[in-house]
Structures are given as structure tokens and as C-alpha cells.
Amino acid sequence: MAMHGRPIRVFRRGVRRFRILDNVDFGIDEIRLVGNERGRASLTSFIGGIEVSAPIYLADMSFGSLAGVPNVVEAELADELMLISGTGEGGLHPEVARHRRIFVQWASARFGVDINTLMAGMGIVIKIGQGAKPGIGGHLPGSKVTSVISQVRRIPVGVDALSPAPHHDIYSIEDLKQRIDALKEATGKPVFVKIAATNYTPYIVTGIARMGADGVIIDGHGAGTGATPLVVRDNVGIPIELAVASADRMLREEGLRDRITLIASGRVSTADDAAKLMALGADAIALGTALLISMGCAMARTCHRGNCPAGITSKIADGSVIVDYEFALRSSRNFLVAFMEELRLILDHLGIDDVRRLVGRRDLLRGHCIDEVTARVLGIKSVNCDTGDGDITSKGDVWTPDYSIYVTQLVRSGDVVIVSMGSNGPPEVEPPKRLIDWLRFDGAQVTKPAIDPYREDIDVSTILAGGRLWLSMPVIIKPPRTWDDDLIKAAKFVVRANSVMIDLEGVDVTDNKHLMRVMWDRYVNGLGALVIDHAGRVGSGIDVPTYLKVTGVDEVSNAVNELVRGVSRFSGVIIDVSDDHPEAILVRLDLELRRRGVRDYVDLIIHMPSVRSSGDIVKLVALGADAVIISGFVERALHGYESIEDFRLRLMRFLTGIKREIAQLLGAAGIYSLQSIIGNRELLRALSGRVRDMLMVKLAGEDVLYR
């Protein structure tokens, strides 16, 4: 479409098996077009009272994150095609500011924002959150902060631009009203609020409507960005379709729907996506990554490094590859013209003559291969899946290219791994291989402000054995069988230095150094914890924390009974089940021990060889684990060392990076202490009704709080 400016097809078949929106359609078979078709339906709409030629918002993308030319092109297209363009965070470059149909962003750091900036354009967007990084602030790496960015943002050259996670003058919905009123009073312009899509979106949107905002941009999970921590990008937020449907429903129930414009953003790439989201309740849609692809984006996923091969997100400096202005303008104009034509043709086939009459028409939609509870959240009818329910997880190696690169960077830097673009993780893009792939955390926004891990202390420690064992984070490493004595000794030293544990069950320990941080299957003086495989092995006189190991599903009931009978003898249980879904066993044990009244006195530790990130660790804690034994993650991170000293350094960086990422994820969820999330499944949301029932986790978009 970018090449020729002609429509190609409408009512496209969804290609992602587990993407909810791809399993929703209008009941019309795909229609391939010749390219000269012209629709008759009207696309004229209104965004915050401003007339637009089509219900399209050109997404907020900041100057600095993009290389300048795309920012100017976007603003130029908004003027030319009578749309609206968001400027993103970071002030205004003069070439953008001279355009009229722009919405200026008021973000948490206020980079480059003053009254002159606010008076430019037609409206203002208060950015509370975004889909690629709910619960944290903007992030422009220092390598991209060149002299021109320094001038526009009014920050030093070469220094990371880290926006605070919360607005430090917005800690409640009432605070937000003060900002909305102040900005309207100062400028006389419509004010929108941008939030990330989370399970609390309906309540936040309802509050925003009551506080007098003109519109809300809801940015869904998978939305693109120039830089974000991978641990946040892949683990926080929910898909836009669930958030929009639930927000629209609640606004209608509260009699507020006509007060506010809803814009759906995040992974919208086709006119079919747009039509379905509008039928679910959106007044307009935002185009971001799709627009960049039309300009030549090759999805190299190096936006945060500033060396974009297409020049879309290059750092603005001499010698950088920068996309050609005329090419970018022509190609993106072609794409938008074809996109609008396809939307008209969709309306024609639906028998709708005005796009505004499509908003909220859930009766036109039907769901395929989606469960009943998901269909209820969307407010649509579900039809039977031709292939049956199918497996909830797929086979295959969890170490996809993205996560192989991630673990390499974690060991190299010892810090939070920064990535870019939208998530291509499970379940929407990468097929889910574990139940935890279906889970998301809620990012904190307004009603529960985020916590900034760069500026505030977040406690990620955990306590085992009734206080006898303190871990700086809920991590126990399990070495591969290939490690020799020298590596084991080095690992014990690093583990002790980082105040975590090492599981040496089945390994011959050749010295007694640092035993206080060792879990072993043989009792010796000074041992940190003893691991046994059946209750009869607990002898008299053993005065160390003792854990009963469960290796089969059929052992779970016996383990519960042993723990209930021998609370004084056992510190807890280790789940090491080679089952397809060990997470479900963890939840079952947690709930049963709570029912028996002994959960507060015993620990649950789980070993999952498929754990591959800090996000997996925190999810397992929220499902009920006091600590997580990691093995495959360790093996992947530490292969290729060159010497014992290099091995020690790698392991030290690995553990340091995990600790920082756990703090980042907790901060994004608005949590100060890891202890408060153990078994707190309310913090999680499932993207499948079947997983919801297996893990006792509410479905994303499902009614919560007082309903």
C-alpha cells in the first residue's frame, strides 16, 4: 500500500493463532481487491471536538526517539490529510511546531515543555503511560541525546533521559483533574490523557471522563517504543481489544460515553483491525509502527541504539543514516490513503454509510476459537472452533532469538536489558510454551501510582524457613551437571556475596566453604538447607531448614499431608515436577496449604528449567512461590566463559541484572516489597479463559473491584 497507494484486501483473515483480535471477525470472507475500488461511506469523524477526515490519530512518537524526518512527515501528513498527529515526549522541534494539526504531549519529565510549547497545535496529551512500558517513564538512551536533542529537550548531551515513572504532581484522580483544568485554563485547548491498557483501564477511563478530559488514548500491550526494559515490555499490560471493550462498556453503564473520545492504540496495522476496534467501542484508532513501516522501517529492533538501517530511529548526528524526506512523505501518504479506502470499503460491505455508526456495534462481530469468558469481556458472540480447543501451549525451545540476545546482554551489562519496538513475545506473536506465557501484570497508573526504581528503594528480598534464611531476591541457582569443582567453588562464592542460594542436590561438594548458602541432599554442619525426597529421611538432631522435594503429580497430596503433620520438621516443599504445567501444581499447593491453615509456616519453592527471564521469576512468585530455582536460565547465561575470573564476573553480573529487573517490574506494578506479592494472584491477568481456570487468575478485562 505504501508503494502504490491502492487498497489490497478487506476482511483479512487473522494470521496469529493466539491473538484475540485475529480471532474476531465480521462474518464476511476475505475479499481481494483490484486496487481501483472506491468506497462511498463517510469517514468524517471528531477527535475531542476537532473534525478529522478519518478516525485516525497519528501516534505519539517523540523527537529523539525518531530521527526528526519521520516527526516532520507525520505532522505534514496530519495537515495535508486533515488528521491529528501526536508529538510524543520531549518538546517540539521548530519544523514540527510550524504545523497546525498536532497534539503536544505533557509527560512526566516535562522535557522542553513551556507555555509556548503548549500553545502550539490544537490539543494537549497528558501522558500517564504507554503500552510498551506501563508503569514506567520514558527512556531515551544517552547515546541518542545529541546536541539538537539537548537543545529541544533542554538536557545535557550524552545523558540518559529517564522520565519519572509517575507524574510527581499526579498521585490520584483528583490530582489529574487539577492538571486537566490548569491546562485547559492556560491554553483553551482540548486535553486528552494517554494511559496503558491494563485491567483497571475501565475505572481509570471512567474517572478521567468525570474529571473533564476530552479524550483518552488507550495504548495496548505490544505497542511500539524507542526504548523500554524487556522485562516490562513482555510482562505488563493487556491487549488493546480487551481494554477498549471493557472501557466502552463501563462508560456506557455510567452514562459517560458521550463525554469522551476513545482512541485505541497499539498493534493496529490494518483497516480490519481499525474496524474491529471501533465496533468494540473505540471512536478512533492510532497508527504508529505501521506508519513507520510505510516509511521504510525494516523492524531491525535497534531503535534504542540509534543505528537504524532505515534511518527512521537513527540518532541525529553527522554521518547517521537518515530516511529521505520525500520518500517517507510519499510512502506514508500512500499507505494512509489506501488504509482509508479499505476502511470505506469495509463499511460499504457492512451496510454502514458513516464510520461513526460503527462505534460500539459489537453485534456485528463474532469470535472464533476464543473461550466463553473472553467473548463475554468483548461483548460478542462466540462460535465453535473448527479445530477444537487445541493445546494451550506449544512445543519447542523457549530460547527464541529475542531471549537468547536478552540473556547475553544481561550477563554483559549486569543491568536492566533495554530493547525497542513492540513485544513479539507470547502469546500474541511467539506461540506460548508455558502457562506463565499467558499471564500479564497490571501496570500502576493514577489510582495506584507507579514506583520509580531509579529514584526509590524497592525491597526484592524474600525470607525462607521462618526467618532462618534471608535471600536478597527470590532466586536459587542450580548449576548444570557439566560444572566442575572449580566452577562450583566460584559459584558458591558469588552466591554468598549476593545473598542468594545454590542448589547442589546430586553434586559432590568437595569443600565446606560458604555452606550457609547451599541447599544439599546430605546433612553436614553449617549447611544452609537440606533437601530430602521423602519424609522418612528426616532424622533426629538435624537442625537445618529441611525441604521435601516433590517430583511427581501423584506426590502432591502426600506432600501436603506431611507438611500439615510435620510443620515443626519441614520448612517447606520444592516442586520439581517434569509435568507440562508445574505452575498449576504450584497454585494447587498454595491454595491447599492456605486452606489447611499452614501456608504461613511453610515455604513453596519451584524449579522450572524453562524459566528464561526475571519476569518469569516474578510471575511464579505471584502464583505462590517463595523462591524460584533457575537452571536453564543459568546455563544459558554462563556458557562461553574464558576463565574462572570471567565466570565469576558473568555470574555476578547475571545476578545483579536479575535483581535490578525484578525491582523494575515491581515498580511498574506499584509494589514496594516482593513479600507482598507472594501468592497474590490478583496482580496477574490471564489472556485465556482456560489458563484463568487452571491458575486461578482473573481474565484480562474481567470485572474487578466492586462489580
Side-chain angles (χ1 to χ4, degrees):
M1 296 200 316
M3 289 174 64
H4 304 295
R6 296 193 298 268
I8 296 174
R9 60 184 181 272
V10 292
F11 302 107
R12 289 168 168 81
R13 290 186 295 271
V15 297
R16 300 291 183 188
R17 175 186 169 193
F18 296 112
R19 185 190 181 209
I20 295 171
L21 198 63
D22 278 8
N23 289 312
V24 174
D25 63 36
F26 289 101
I28 299 175
D29 291 336
E30 181 174 302
I31 301 172
R32 290 194 170 269
L33 306 171
V34 175
N36 59 2
E37 293 88 346
R38 293 293 176 266
R40 298 182 303 276
S42 169
L43 296 185
T44 301
S45 191
F46 293 87
I47 293 178
I50 300 170
E51 185 176 341
V52 289
S53 64
I56 296 173
Y57 179 87
L58 305 182
D60 305 287
M61 294 184 280
S62 68
F63 181 73
S65 172
L66 301 185
V69 169
N71 303 90
V72 176
V73 165
E74 186 177 313
E76 182 78 26
L77 286 169
D79 280 358
E80 178 185 334
L81 300 178
M82 208 175 124
L83 304 174
I84 297 290
S85 167
T87 63
E89 184 176 10
L92 277 180
H93 189 275
E95 285 298 306
V96 176
R98 68 183 179 83
H99 293 89
R100 177 62 181 155
R101 299 183 70 86
I102 58 175
F103 273 25
V104 177
Q105 191 168 103
W106 169 274
S108 61
R110 317 283 200 263
F111 289 130
V113 175
D114 56 23
I115 189 61
N116 293 323
T117 308
L118 296 173
M119 291 304 295
M122 303 182 78
I124 298 167
V125 175
I126 300 175
K127 189 190 89 170
I128 301 293
Q130 62 186 102
K133 40 191 170 186
I136 67 172
H139 188 156
L140 184 65
S143 61
K144 295 184 72 172
V145 182
T146 57
S147 58
V148 63
I149 302 301
S150 169
Q151 292 169 16
V152 172
R153 293 199 178 209
R154 302 167 195 171
I155 56 176
V157 173
V159 176
D160 282 8
L162 294 173
S163 306
H167 288 247
H168 287 306
D169 53 1
I170 301 176
Y171 285 93
S172 68
I173 201 73
E174 292 79 15
D175 289 342
L176 180 60
K177 176 173 174 52
Q178 291 182 15
R179 300 288 79 73
I180 293 170
D181 289 347
L183 289 170
K184 285 192 171 187
E185 180 70 21
T187 67
K189 300 178 186 297
V191 174
F192 277 55
V193 180
K194 181 176 181 179
I195 61 172
T198 72
N199 210 66
Y200 293 91
T201 292
Y203 308 97
I204 297 170
V205 170
T206 301
I208 290 170
R210 286 199 170 101
M211 296 305 108
D214 297 279
V216 180
I217 302 169
I218 308 175
D219 205 23
H221 172 81
T225 186
T228 181
L230 178 141
V231 71
V232 174
R233 185 196 72 177
D234 284 3
N235 293 291
V236 185
I238 67 174
I240 185 60
E241 53 268 35
L242 295 175
V244 162
S246 54
D248 176 71
R249 183 181 67 245
M250 184 168 287
L251 286 169
R252 292 180 188 278
E253 289 175 359
E254 297 296 317
L256 300 169
R257 187 62 187 88
D258 294 337
R259 291 193 195 178
I260 200 160
T261 300
L262 282 185
I263 300 178
S265 175
R267 227 173 233 161
V268 183
S269 58
T270 68
D272 297 279
D273 287 346
K276 287 185 278 189
L277 287 168
M278 294 185 72
L280 288 172
D283 294 291
I285 56 91
L287 294 174
T289 302
L291 193 65
L292 298 184
I293 292 173
S294 75
M295 296 183 195
C297 166
M299 299 289 282
R301 311 180 78 83
T302 62
C303 315
H304 56 297
R305 297 188 188 130
N307 58 353
C308 173
I312 303 290
T313 61
S314 298
K315 63 181 177 182
I316 306 174
D318 291 342
S320 295
V321 175
I322 303 294
V323 65
D324 178 73
Y325 173 83
E326 293 298 334
F327 168 80
L329 181 63
R330 180 177 64 254
S331 299
S332 51
R333 180 196 294 119
N334 282 346
F335 166 67
L336 288 171
V337 168
F339 186 100
M340 289 188 279
E341 202 58 62
E342 287 192 350
L343 185 56
R344 284 192 191 92
L345 292 168
I346 289 171
L347 292 170
D348 287 351
H349 281 89
L350 293 175
I352 297 173
D353 61 359
D354 189 320
V355 71
R356 288 172 290 179
R357 295 195 177 98
L358 178 62
V359 177
R361 289 292 307 276
R362 292 174 176 79
D363 59 296
L364 297 174
L365 296 171
R366 64 179 187 178
H368 292 273
C369 303
I370 61 174
D371 51 80
E372 184 179 339
V373 66
T374 303
R376 189 167 66 246
V377 170
L378 294 172
I380 65 175
K381 293 180 180 178
S382 179
V383 298
N384 292 332
C385 184
D386 295 336
T387 58
D389 289 337
D391 293 330
I392 201 71
T393 55
S394 302
K395 304 297 182 183
D397 189 359
V398 298
W399 292 103
T400 57
D402 263 19
Y403 276 88
S404 295
I405 295 169
Y406 155 76
V407 74
T408 300
Q409 292 178 338
L410 189 66
V411 172
R412 184 181 299 154
S413 68
D415 205 349
V416 176
V417 175
I418 302 299
V419 293
S420 53
M421 299 300 294
S423 171
N424 61 356
E428 295 96 337
V429 179
E430 176 196 328
K433 299 181 177 68
R434 304 144 321 155
L435 291 184
I436 53 175
D437 288 339
W438 288 96
L439 300 181
R440 294 281 183 273
F441 280 95
D442 260 337
Q445 300 176 108
V446 186
T447 53
K448 183 179 70 169
I451 301 163
D452 197 327
Y454 297 109
R455 298 167 174 88
E456 300 185 63
D457 291 330
I458 297 174
D459 181 9
V460 303
S461 67
T462 192
I463 298 171
L464 302 179
R468 298 174 70 183
L469 295 172
W470 179 86
L471 278 63
S472 65
M473 55 183 158
V475 170
I476 300 168
I477 72 166
K478 188 176 183 66
R481 299 288 182 181
T482 55
W483 284 12
D484 59 21
D485 287 347
D486 289 338
L487 294 181
I488 295 292
K489 290 177 183 178
K492 286 162 61 182
F493 170 80
V494 175
V495 161
R496 185 178 185 278
N498 283 272
S499 298
V500 292
M501 300 284 288
I502 183 169
D503 178 5
L504 294 180
E505 184 198 7
V507 176
D508 290 327
V509 178
T510 57
D511 67 12
N512 60 1
K513 288 185 177 179
H514 314 305
L515 285 178
M516 63 183 295
R517 289 292 170 181
V518 172
M519 302 181 74
W520 205 26
D521 51 358
R522 278 165 271 181
Y523 174 70
V524 293
N525 288 330
L527 186 68
L530 177 65
V531 180
I532 62 172
D533 54 11
H534 59 84
R537 285 190 53 200
V538 183
S540 60
I542 294 179
D543 188 27
V544 298
T546 302
Y547 290 89
L548 183 61
K549 184 177 178 180
V550 174
T551 57
V553 177
D554 55 341
E555 300 175 22
V556 173
S557 295
N558 290 335
V560 171
N561 292 331
E562 291 292 347
L563 290 173
V564 172
R565 285 197 301 264
V567 168
S568 60
R569 292 188 301 155
F570 297 108
S571 296
V573 63
I574 296 174
I575 303 165
D576 194 359
V577 178
S578 57
D579 181 78
D580 286 342
H581 306 310
E583 310 98 312
I585 297 173
L586 170 65
V587 172
R588 175 182 164 189
L589 267 171
D590 179 61
L591 291 173
E592 182 61 20
L593 291 172
R594 290 180 189 276
R595 189 182 70 81
R596 299 281 195 100
V598 298
R599 180 64 181 91
D600 292 340
Y601 309 106
V602 295
D603 304 325
L604 289 179
I605 298 173
I606 186 169
H607 173 219
M608 271 185 65
S610 61
V611 166
R612 65 179 182 180
S613 74
S614 308
D616 292 345
I617 294 169
V618 181
K619 285 178 182 176
L620 289 170
V621 171
L623 288 175
D626 294 278
V628 179
I629 298 173
I630 56 175
S631 55
F633 197 12
V634 173
E635 185 174 12
R636 195 81 181 192
L638 297 174
H639 79 283
Y641 59 89
E642 297 178 355
S643 64
I644 292 295
E645 286 306 313
D646 182 41
F647 174 86
R648 282 182 180 172
L649 183 60
R650 284 171 179 249
L651 182 54
M652 186 74 74
R653 287 173 175 166
F654 175 63
L655 293 174
T656 301
I658 290 175
K659 186 175 181 180
R660 289 175 175 171
E661 288 196 334
I662 292 174
Q664 188 78 249
L665 188 51
L666 293 182
I671 298 163
Y672 273 106
S673 172
L674 180 103
Q675 290 289 304
S676 66
I677 76 164
I678 296 172
N680 190 349
R681 287 177 287 279
E682 177 61 28
L683 297 170
L684 295 169
R685 289 294 179 268
L687 300 185
S688 158
R690 291 171 63 193
V691 174
R692 161 190 181 262
D693 296 335
M694 293 172 74
L695 298 182
M696 304 299 290
V697 170
K698 284 188 176 129
L699 189 80
E702 193 173 7
D703 285 348
V704 292
L705 294 179
Y706 308 110
R707 304 180 67 78

